Amino acid sequence: MDIAAELARFNPDPALAEWVMAQLAEQANVAQQAQHHLLQAKDRELHLKDQELRNKDLKIQALTLELAHHKRLRFGVKSEALAPEQRDLFDDTCAEDGAAIIADVEQLQVPAERPQRKPTGRQPLPASLPRIEHRHEPATCTCGQCGQNLVPIGEDIS
C-alpha cells in the first residue's frame, strides 16, 4: 500500500500528508547522497590500492630482472671464446702494440730512490734530558723458603 494513501486514510489534512512525504523524500535523498559519498570514498581507496599493487608489481619485476642479471654475471659463461680465424685478426696488431708498450716501459724505468720512511712508534727522548736510575733490589739474594739464590726474571725500563 502507498504511504500517501495510508496517510490520507488516517489524516484527512492533505497539507500534512504532503509535508510528511517531503520529509521522507528529503531523508531518502540524504541517505542516497551519503551512500554516494561512501561509494566515492571506497572507489578512491580501491584506486589507491590498485596503484600501490601496480607499483609493487613493477618493483618485483625490476628486482627479478636485476637478480637474473646478477645470476648471469656470477654463474654464466666465464669467458668469451673466439674462433681461430677471429683470433688471427688480432695477432699482428697485438704484437706491434706489445712491442710499443715494452719500449715505453723501458724508457720510463729510471731507477728511482725510495724516500726514507719516518720511524713509527715512540721517539727517543732527547739526550739533553737528565737521566735518573732507580734500582729496586730485594733485601736478600736467597729464597726465604728453600734457601736458593734468586734469579732475575726480567726488567722494566721507563
Side-chain angles (χ1 to χ4, degrees):
M1 197 182 225
D2 188 42
I3 295 177
E6 271 190 50
L7 282 176
R9 193 175 68 151
F10 288 117
N11 190 1
D13 187 14
L16 181 63
E18 190 176 305
W19 179 80
V20 168
M21 290 302 290
Q23 292 296 321
L24 287 174
E26 186 178 328
Q27 285 180 355
N29 190 20
V30 168
Q32 187 180 13
Q33 286 179 354
Q35 190 175 17
H36 180 70
H37 288 301
L38 181 65
L39 186 61
Q40 282 181 342
K42 291 292 184 181
D43 282 346
R44 281 192 299 268
E45 184 180 339
L46 182 62
H47 179 70
L48 289 175
K49 294 280 185 181
D50 285 345
Q51 189 175 9
E52 183 180 338
L53 184 62
R54 199 174 315 116
N55 288 342
K56 287 183 179 182
D57 284 344
L58 288 174
K59 178 98 173 174
I60 289 171
Q61 185 179 9
L63 290 173
T64 303
L65 290 174
E66 186 177 350
L67 180 63
H69 174 71
H70 286 293
K71 281 184 178 179
R72 276 195 305 277
L73 288 178
R74 183 167 181 191
F75 301 116
V77 178
K78 300 296 183 202
S79 64
E80 293 182 10
L82 294 177
E85 298 84 25
Q86 289 177 329
R87 225 177 292 126
D88 293 340
L89 291 175
F90 298 109
D91 284 342
D92 298 335
T93 57
C94 183
E96 292 172 6
D97 291 342
I101 291 173
I102 290 173
D104 288 343
V105 169
E106 288 175 354
Q107 285 179 351
L108 293 175
Q109 283 184 346
V110 176
E113 292 185 24
R114 287 182 145 178
Q116 292 293 326
R117 291 177 47 187
K118 289 184 177 180
T120 58
R122 181 180 282 182
Q123 301 296 323
L125 294 173
S128 62
L129 289 178
R131 308 280 195 250
I132 301 172
E133 192 172 312
H134 290 282
R135 289 194 176 267
H136 300 280
E137 299 284 337
T140 63
C141 291
T142 58
C143 179
Q145 292 180 350
C146 64
Q148 300 223 351
N149 288 338
L150 296 177
V151 178
I153 299 175
E155 61 181 2
D156 291 333
I157 299 173
S158 62

Coordinates of all heavy atoms in Angstrom, one line a residue, residues 18-89:
E18 N 1.4 16.0 2.6 CA 2.4 16.5 1.6 C 3.7 16.8 2.3 O 4.8 16.5 1.8 CB 1.8 17.7 0.9 CG 2.7 18.2 -0.2 CD 2.0 19.3 -0.9 OE1 0.8 19.2 -1.3 OE2 2.7 20.4 -1.0
W19 N 3.6 17.4 3.5 CA 4.8 17.8 4.3 C 5.6 16.5 4.7 O 6.8 16.4 4.6 CB 4.4 18.6 5.5 CG 5.6 18.9 6.4 CD1 6.4 20.0 6.2 CD2 6.0 18.3 7.6 NE1 7.4 20.0 7.2 CE2 7.2 18.9 8.0 CE3 5.5 17.2 8.3 CZ2 7.8 18.6 9.2 CZ3 6.2 16.8 9.4 CH2 7.4 17.5 9.9
V20 N 4.8 15.5 5.2 CA 5.4 14.2 5.6 C 6.1 13.6 4.4 O 7.2 13.0 4.5 CB 4.4 13.3 6.2 CG1 4.9 11.8 6.4 CG2 3.9 13.8 7.6
M21 N 5.5 13.6 3.2 CA 6.1 13.0 2.0 C 7.3 13.7 1.6 O 8.3 13.1 1.2 CB 5.1 13.0 0.9 CG 3.9 12.1 1.1 SD 4.4 10.4 1.3 CE 5.0 10.0 -0.4
A22 N 7.3 15.1 1.8 CA 8.5 15.9 1.5 C 9.7 15.5 2.5 O 10.9 15.4 2.1 CB 8.2 17.4 1.6
Q23 N 9.4 15.3 3.7 CA 10.4 14.9 4.7 C 10.9 13.6 4.4 O 12.2 13.3 4.5 CB 9.8 14.9 6.1 CG 9.4 16.3 6.7 CD 10.7 17.2 6.8 OE1 11.7 16.8 7.2 NE2 10.5 18.5 6.4
L24 N 10.1 12.6 4.0 CA 10.5 11.3 3.7 C 11.4 11.3 2.4 O 12.5 10.7 2.3 CB 9.4 10.4 3.4 CG 8.6 9.9 4.7 CD1 7.4 9.1 4.3 CD2 9.5 9.1 5.6
A25 N 11.0 12.1 1.4 CA 11.8 12.3 0.2 C 13.2 12.9 0.5 O 14.2 12.5 0.0 CB 11.1 13.1 -0.8
E26 N 13.2 13.9 1.4 CA 14.5 14.5 1.8 C 15.4 13.6 2.5 O 16.6 13.5 2.3 CB 14.2 15.7 2.7 CG 15.4 16.6 3.0 CD 15.0 17.8 3.9 OE1 13.9 18.3 3.7 OE2 15.9 18.2 4.7
Q27 N 14.8 12.8 3.4 CA 15.6 11.7 4.1 C 16.2 10.7 3.2 O 17.3 10.3 3.3 CB 14.8 11.0 5.2 CG 14.6 11.9 6.5 CD 13.7 11.1 7.5 OE1 13.2 10.0 7.2 NE2 13.5 11.7 8.6
A28 N 15.4 10.3 2.2 CA 15.9 9.4 1.2 C 17.0 10.0 0.4 O 18.0 9.3 0.0 CB 14.7 8.9 0.3
N29 N 16.8 11.3 0.0 CA 17.8 12.0 -0.7 C 19.1 12.1 0.1 O 20.2 11.9 -0.5 CB 17.3 13.4 -1.1 CG 18.2 14.1 -2.1 OD1 19.0 13.4 -2.8 ND2 18.1 15.4 -2.2
V30 N 19.0 12.4 1.4 CA 20.2 12.5 2.2 C 20.9 11.1 2.3 O 22.1 11.0 2.2 CB 19.8 13.0 3.6 CG1 21.0 12.9 4.6 CG2 19.4 14.5 3.5
A31 N 20.1 10.1 2.5 CA 20.7 8.7 2.6 C 21.4 8.3 1.3 O 22.4 7.7 1.3 CB 19.6 7.7 3.0
Q32 N 20.7 8.8 0.2 CA 21.3 8.4 -1.1 C 22.6 9.2 -1.3 O 23.6 8.6 -1.9 CB 20.3 8.8 -2.3 CG 20.8 8.3 -3.6 CD 19.7 8.7 -4.7 OE1 18.8 9.5 -4.4 NE2 19.9 8.1 -5.9
Q33 N 22.7 10.5 -0.9 CA 23.9 11.2 -1.0 C 25.0 10.6 -0.1 O 26.2 10.6 -0.5 CB 23.7 12.7 -0.7 CG 22.9 13.5 -1.7 CD 22.7 14.9 -1.3 OE1 23.0 15.3 -0.1 NE2 22.1 15.7 -2.2
A34 N 24.7 10.2 1.1 CA 25.6 9.6 2.0 C 26.2 8.3 1.4 O 27.4 8.1 1.4 CB 25.0 9.4 3.3
Q35 N 25.3 7.6 0.8 CA 25.7 6.3 0.2 C 26.6 6.6 -1.0 O 27.6 5.9 -1.3 CB 24.5 5.5 -0.3 CG 24.8 4.1 -0.7 CD 23.6 3.3 -1.0 OE1 22.5 3.9 -1.2 NE2 23.7 2.0 -1.0
H36 N 26.3 7.7 -1.8 CA 27.1 8.1 -2.9 C 28.5 8.5 -2.5 O 29.5 8.1 -3.1 CB 26.4 9.2 -3.7 CG 27.1 9.7 -4.9 ND1 27.3 8.9 -6.0 CD2 27.8 10.8 -5.2 CE1 28.0 9.5 -6.9 NE2 28.3 10.7 -6.4
H37 N 28.6 9.3 -1.4 CA 29.9 9.7 -0.9 C 30.7 8.5 -0.4 O 31.9 8.5 -0.6 CB 29.7 10.8 0.2 CG 29.2 12.1 -0.3 ND1 29.9 12.9 -1.2 CD2 28.1 12.8 0.0 CE1 29.3 14.0 -1.4 NE2 28.2 14.0 -0.7
L38 N 30.0 7.6 0.3 CA 30.7 6.4 0.8 C 31.2 5.6 -0.4 O 32.4 5.1 -0.4 CB 29.8 5.6 1.6 CG 30.3 4.3 2.2 CD1 31.4 4.7 3.2 CD2 29.2 3.5 2.9
L39 N 30.4 5.5 -1.5 CA 30.9 4.8 -2.7 C 32.1 5.4 -3.3 O 33.0 4.8 -3.8 CB 29.7 4.6 -3.6 CG 29.9 3.8 -4.9 CD1 30.2 2.4 -4.5 CD2 28.6 3.8 -5.8
Q40 N 32.0 6.8 -3.4 CA 33.2 7.5 -4.0 C 34.4 7.3 -3.1 O 35.5 7.1 -3.7 CB 32.8 9.0 -4.1 CG 32.0 9.4 -5.2 CD 31.7 10.9 -5.3 OE1 31.9 11.6 -4.3 NE2 31.2 11.3 -6.4
A41 N 34.3 7.3 -1.8 CA 35.5 7.1 -0.9 C 36.0 5.7 -1.1 O 37.2 5.5 -1.2 CB 35.1 7.3 0.5
K42 N 35.1 4.7 -1.3 CA 35.6 3.4 -1.5 C 36.3 3.2 -2.9 O 37.2 2.5 -3.0 CB 34.4 2.4 -1.4 CG 33.9 2.2 0.0 CD 34.8 1.5 0.9 CE 34.2 1.3 2.2 NZ 35.1 0.6 3.2
D43 N 35.7 3.9 -3.9 CA 36.4 3.9 -5.2 C 37.8 4.5 -5.1 O 38.7 4.0 -5.7 CB 35.5 4.7 -6.2 CG 34.3 3.9 -6.7 OD1 34.3 2.7 -6.5 OD2 33.4 4.5 -7.3
R44 N 37.9 5.7 -4.4 CA 39.3 6.3 -4.3 C 40.2 5.3 -3.6 O 41.4 5.2 -4.0 CB 39.1 7.6 -3.5 CG 38.7 8.8 -4.4 CD 38.8 10.1 -3.6 NE 38.1 10.1 -2.4 CZ 36.9 10.6 -2.2 NH1 36.2 11.1 -3.3 NH2 36.3 10.6 -1.1
E45 N 39.7 4.7 -2.5 CA 40.6 3.8 -1.8 C 41.0 2.6 -2.6 O 42.1 2.1 -2.6 CB 39.8 3.3 -0.5 CG 40.6 2.4 0.4 CD 39.8 1.9 1.6 OE1 38.8 2.6 1.9 OE2 40.2 0.9 2.2
L46 N 40.0 2.1 -3.4 CA 40.3 1.0 -4.3 C 41.3 1.4 -5.4 O 42.2 0.6 -5.7 CB 39.0 0.5 -5.0 CG 39.1 -0.7 -5.9 CD1 39.6 -1.9 -5.1 CD2 37.8 -1.0 -6.6
H47 N 41.2 2.6 -5.9 CA 42.1 3.1 -6.9 C 43.5 3.2 -6.3 O 44.5 2.8 -7.0 CB 41.6 4.5 -7.4 CG 42.6 5.1 -8.4 ND1 42.7 4.6 -9.7 CD2 43.4 6.1 -8.4 CE1 43.6 5.3 -10.4 NE2 44.0 6.3 -9.6
L48 N 43.6 3.7 -5.1 CA 44.9 3.8 -4.4 C 45.5 2.4 -4.2 O 46.7 2.3 -4.4 CB 44.8 4.6 -3.1 CG 44.5 6.1 -3.2 CD1 44.3 6.7 -1.8 CD2 45.7 6.8 -3.9
K49 N 44.7 1.5 -3.8 CA 45.2 0.1 -3.6 C 45.7 -0.5 -4.9 O 46.7 -1.2 -4.9 CB 44.1 -0.8 -3.0 CG 43.7 -0.4 -1.6 CD 44.7 -0.9 -0.6 CE 44.2 -0.6 0.8 NZ 45.0 -1.0 1.9
D50 N 44.9 -0.3 -6.0 CA 45.4 -0.8 -7.3 C 46.7 -0.1 -7.7 O 47.6 -0.8 -8.2 CB 44.3 -0.5 -8.3 CG 43.1 -1.4 -8.2 OD1 43.2 -2.4 -7.5 OD2 42.0 -1.1 -8.9
Q51 N 46.8 1.2 -7.5 CA 48.1 1.8 -7.9 C 49.2 1.3 -7.0 O 50.3 1.1 -7.5 CB 47.9 3.3 -7.6 CG 49.0 4.2 -8.2 CD 48.7 5.7 -8.1 OE1 47.8 6.1 -7.4 NE2 49.6 6.5 -8.7
E52 N 49.0 1.1 -5.7 CA 50.1 0.6 -4.9 C 50.4 -0.9 -5.3 O 51.6 -1.2 -5.4 CB 49.5 0.5 -3.4 CG 50.6 0.1 -2.4 CD 50.0 0.1 -1.0 OE1 49.0 0.8 -0.7 OE2 50.5 -0.6 -0.2
L53 N 49.4 -1.7 -5.6 CA 49.7 -3.0 -6.1 C 50.5 -3.0 -7.4 O 51.4 -3.8 -7.6 CB 48.4 -3.8 -6.3 CG 48.4 -5.2 -6.7 CD1 49.2 -6.0 -5.6 CD2 47.1 -5.8 -6.9
R54 N 50.1 -2.1 -8.3 CA 50.9 -1.9 -9.6 C 52.3 -1.5 -9.3 O 53.2 -2.1 -10.0 CB 50.2 -0.9 -10.5 CG 50.5 -1.0 -11.9 CD 49.7 0.0 -12.8 NE 48.3 0.0 -12.5 CZ 47.6 1.0 -12.0 NH1 48.2 2.2 -11.8 NH2 46.3 0.9 -11.7
N55 N 52.5 -0.6 -8.4 CA 53.9 -0.2 -8.1 C 54.7 -1.3 -7.5 O 55.9 -1.5 -7.8 CB 53.9 1.0 -7.1 CG 53.4 2.3 -7.7 OD1 53.4 2.4 -8.9 ND2 53.0 3.2 -6.9
K56 N 54.1 -2.1 -6.6 CA 54.8 -3.3 -6.1 C 55.1 -4.3 -7.1 O 56.2 -4.9 -7.1 CB 54.0 -3.9 -4.9 CG 54.0 -3.0 -3.7 CD 53.2 -3.6 -2.5 CE 53.3 -2.7 -1.3 NZ 52.6 -3.3 -0.2
D57 N 54.2 -4.5 -8.0 CA 54.4 -5.5 -9.1 C 55.6 -5.0 -10.0 O 56.5 -5.8 -10.4 CB 53.2 -5.7 -10.0 CG 52.1 -6.5 -9.3 OD1 52.5 -7.2 -8.4 OD2 51.0 -6.5 -9.8
L58 N 55.7 -3.7 -10.3 CA 56.8 -3.2 -11.0 C 58.1 -3.3 -10.3 O 59.1 -3.7 -10.9 CB 56.6 -1.7 -11.4 CG 55.5 -1.5 -12.4 CD1 55.2 0.0 -12.6 CD2 55.9 -2.1 -13.8
K59 N 58.1 -3.1 -9.0 CA 59.3 -3.3 -8.2 C 59.7 -4.7 -8.1 O 60.9 -5.0 -8.3 CB 59.0 -2.8 -6.7 CG 60.1 -2.9 -5.8 CD 60.9 -1.7 -5.6 CE 61.9 -1.8 -4.5 NZ 62.7 -0.7 -4.4
I60 N 58.8 -5.6 -8.0 CA 59.1 -7.1 -8.0 C 59.7 -7.5 -9.4 O 60.7 -8.2 -9.4 CB 57.9 -7.9 -7.7 CG1 57.5 -7.8 -6.2 CG2 58.1 -9.4 -8.0 CD1 56.2 -8.4 -5.9
Q61 N 59.1 -6.9 -10.4 CA 59.7 -7.3 -11.8 C 61.1 -6.7 -12.0 O 61.9 -7.4 -12.5 CB 58.7 -6.7 -12.8 CG 59.1 -7.0 -14.2 CD 58.1 -6.5 -15.3 OE1 57.3 -5.6 -14.9 NE2 58.2 -6.9 -16.5
A62 N 61.3 -5.5 -11.5 CA 62.6 -4.9 -11.6 C 63.7 -5.7 -10.8 O 64.8 -6.0 -11.3 CB 62.6 -3.4 -11.1
L63 N 63.3 -6.1 -9.6 CA 64.2 -6.8 -8.7 C 64.5 -8.2 -9.3 O 65.6 -8.8 -9.2 CB 63.7 -7.0 -7.3 CG 63.7 -5.7 -6.5 CD1 63.0 -5.9 -5.2 CD2 65.1 -5.2 -6.3
T64 N 63.4 -8.8 -9.9 CA 63.6 -10.1 -10.6 C 64.6 -10.0 -11.7 O 65.5 -10.9 -11.9 CB 62.3 -10.7 -11.1 OG1 61.4 -10.7 -10.0 CG2 62.4 -12.0 -11.7
L65 N 64.5 -9.0 -12.5 CA 65.4 -8.8 -13.7 C 66.8 -8.5 -13.2 O 67.8 -9.0 -13.7 CB 64.9 -7.6 -14.5 CG 63.6 -7.9 -15.4 CD1 63.2 -6.6 -16.1 CD2 63.9 -9.0 -16.4
E66 N 66.9 -7.7 -12.1 CA 68.2 -7.5 -11.5 C 68.9 -8.8 -11.0 O 70.1 -9.0 -11.2 CB 68.1 -6.4 -10.4 CG 69.5 -6.0 -9.9 CD 69.3 -4.9 -8.8 OE1 68.2 -4.4 -8.7 OE2 70.3 -4.6 -8.2
L67 N 68.1 -9.6 -10.3 CA 68.6 -10.8 -9.8 C 69.0 -11.8 -11.0 O 70.1 -12.4 -10.9 CB 67.5 -11.5 -9.0 CG 67.9 -12.9 -8.4 CD1 69.0 -12.7 -7.4 CD2 66.7 -13.5 -7.7
A68 N 68.2 -11.8 -12.0 CA 68.6 -12.6 -13.2 C 69.9 -12.1 -13.8 O 70.8 -12.9 -14.2 CB 67.5 -12.6 -14.2
H69 N 70.1 -10.8 -13.9 CA 71.3 -10.2 -14.4 C 72.5 -10.6 -13.5 O 73.6 -11.1 -14.0 CB 71.2 -8.7 -14.5 CG 72.5 -8.0 -14.9 ND1 73.0 -8.1 -16.1 CD2 73.3 -7.3 -14.1 CE1 74.1 -7.4 -16.2 NE2 74.3 -6.9 -15.0
H70 N 72.4 -10.5 -12.2 CA 73.5 -10.9 -11.3 C 73.8 -12.4 -11.4 O 74.9 -12.8 -11.3 CB 73.2 -10.5 -9.9 CG 73.3 -9.0 -9.7 ND1 74.5 -8.3 -9.8 CD2 72.4 -8.0 -9.5 CE1 74.3 -7.0 -9.6 NE2 73.0 -6.8 -9.4
K71 N 72.7 -13.2 -11.5 CA 73.0 -14.6 -11.7 C 73.7 -14.9 -13.0 O 74.6 -15.8 -13.0 CB 71.6 -15.4 -11.7 CG 71.0 -15.6 -10.3 CD 69.8 -16.4 -10.4 CE 69.2 -16.7 -9.0 NZ 67.9 -17.5 -9.1
R72 N 73.4 -14.2 -14.0 CA 74.1 -14.4 -15.3 C 75.6 -14.0 -15.1 O 76.5 -14.7 -15.6 CB 73.5 -13.6 -16.4 CG 72.3 -14.4 -17.1 CD 72.0 -13.7 -18.4 NE 71.7 -12.3 -18.3 CZ 70.5 -11.8 -18.0 NH1 69.5 -12.6 -17.7 NH2 70.3 -10.5 -17.9
L73 N 75.8 -12.9 -14.4 CA 77.2 -12.5 -14.2 C 78.0 -13.5 -13.4 O 79.1 -13.8 -13.6 CB 77.2 -11.1 -13.5 CG 76.8 -9.9 -14.3 CD1 76.9 -8.7 -13.4 CD2 77.7 -9.7 -15.5
R74 N 77.3 -14.1 -12.4 CA 78.0 -15.0 -11.5 C 78.1 -16.4 -12.0 O 79.2 -17.0 -11.9 CB 77.3 -15.0 -10.1 CG 78.0 -15.8 -9.1 CD 77.5 -15.6 -7.7 NE 78.3 -16.4 -6.8 CZ 78.0 -16.6 -5.6 NH1 76.9 -16.1 -5.1 NH2 78.7 -17.4 -4.8
F75 N 77.1 -16.9 -12.6 CA 77.1 -18.3 -12.9 C 77.1 -18.5 -14.4 O 77.1 -19.6 -14.9 CB 75.8 -19.0 -12.4 CG 75.7 -18.9 -10.9 CD1 74.7 -18.2 -10.3 CD2 76.6 -19.5 -10.1 CE1 74.6 -18.2 -8.9 CE2 76.5 -19.5 -8.7 CZ 75.5 -18.8 -8.1
G76 N 77.1 -17.4 -15.2 CA 77.1 -17.6 -16.7 C 78.5 -18.0 -17.2 O 79.4 -18.4 -16.5
V77 N 78.6 -17.9 -18.5 CA 79.9 -18.3 -19.2 C 81.0 -17.3 -18.7 O 80.8 -16.1 -18.7 CB 79.7 -18.2 -20.7 CG1 81.0 -18.5 -21.4 CG2 78.6 -19.2 -21.2
K78 N 82.1 -17.9 -18.3 CA 83.1 -17.1 -17.7 C 84.0 -16.3 -18.7 O 84.5 -15.3 -18.4 CB 84.1 -18.0 -16.9 CG 83.4 -18.7 -15.8 CD 82.8 -17.7 -14.8 CE 82.2 -18.5 -13.6 NZ 81.2 -17.8 -12.9
S79 N 84.1 -16.9 -19.9 CA 85.0 -16.2 -20.9 C 84.3 -16.3 -22.3 O 83.6 -17.3 -22.6 CB 86.4 -16.7 -20.9 OG 86.3 -18.1 -21.3
E80 N 84.7 -15.4 -23.1 CA 84.1 -15.5 -24.5 C 85.1 -16.2 -25.3 O 86.3 -16.0 -25.3 CB 84.0 -14.1 -25.1 CG 82.9 -13.3 -24.4 CD 82.7 -11.9 -25.0 OE1 83.3 -11.7 -26.1 OE2 82.0 -11.1 -24.4
A81 N 84.6 -17.1 -26.1 CA 85.5 -17.9 -27.0 C 85.5 -17.4 -28.4 O 84.4 -17.0 -28.9 CB 85.0 -19.4 -27.0
L82 N 86.7 -17.2 -29.0 CA 86.8 -16.7 -30.3 C 87.1 -17.8 -31.3 O 87.9 -18.7 -30.9 CB 87.9 -15.6 -30.4 CG 87.6 -14.3 -29.7 CD1 88.8 -13.4 -29.8 CD2 86.4 -13.6 -30.2
A83 N 86.6 -17.7 -32.5 CA 87.0 -18.7 -33.5 C 88.5 -18.5 -33.9 O 89.0 -17.3 -33.8 CB 86.1 -18.6 -34.7
P84 N 89.2 -19.5 -34.3 CA 90.6 -19.3 -34.7 C 90.8 -18.2 -35.8 O 91.8 -17.5 -35.7 CB 91.0 -20.7 -35.2 CG 90.0 -21.6 -34.7 CD 88.8 -20.9 -34.5
E85 N 89.9 -18.1 -36.7 CA 90.0 -17.0 -37.7 C 90.0 -15.6 -37.1 O 90.7 -14.7 -37.5 CB 88.9 -17.2 -38.8 CG 89.0 -18.4 -39.6 CD 88.2 -19.6 -38.9 OE1 87.3 -19.3 -38.0 OE2 88.6 -20.7 -39.1
Q86 N 89.1 -15.5 -36.1 CA 88.9 -14.2 -35.4 C 90.2 -13.9 -34.6 O 90.6 -12.7 -34.5 CB 87.7 -14.2 -34.6 CG 86.4 -14.2 -35.3 CD 85.2 -14.2 -34.4 OE1 85.3 -14.8 -33.4 NE2 84.1 -13.6 -34.8
R87 N 90.7 -14.9 -34.0 CA 91.9 -14.7 -33.1 C 93.1 -14.2 -34.0 O 93.9 -13.4 -33.6 CB 92.3 -16.0 -32.4 CG 92.6 -15.8 -31.0 CD 92.9 -17.1 -30.2 NE 91.6 -17.9 -30.1 CZ 91.6 -19.1 -30.5 NH1 92.6 -19.7 -31.0 NH2 90.4 -19.8 -30.3
D88 N 93.2 -14.8 -35.2 CA 94.3 -14.4 -36.1 C 94.3 -12.9 -36.5 O 95.3 -12.3 -36.8 CB 94.3 -15.3 -37.3 CG 94.7 -16.7 -37.0 OD1 95.3 -16.9 -35.9 OD2 94.4 -17.6 -37.8
L89 N 93.1 -12.3 -36.5 CA 93.0 -10.9 -36.9 C 93.7 -10.0 -35.9 O 94.2 -9.0 -36.3 CB 91.5 -10.5 -36.9 CG 90.6 -11.1 -38.0 CD1 89.1 -10.7 -37.7 CD2 91.0 -10.7 -39.3

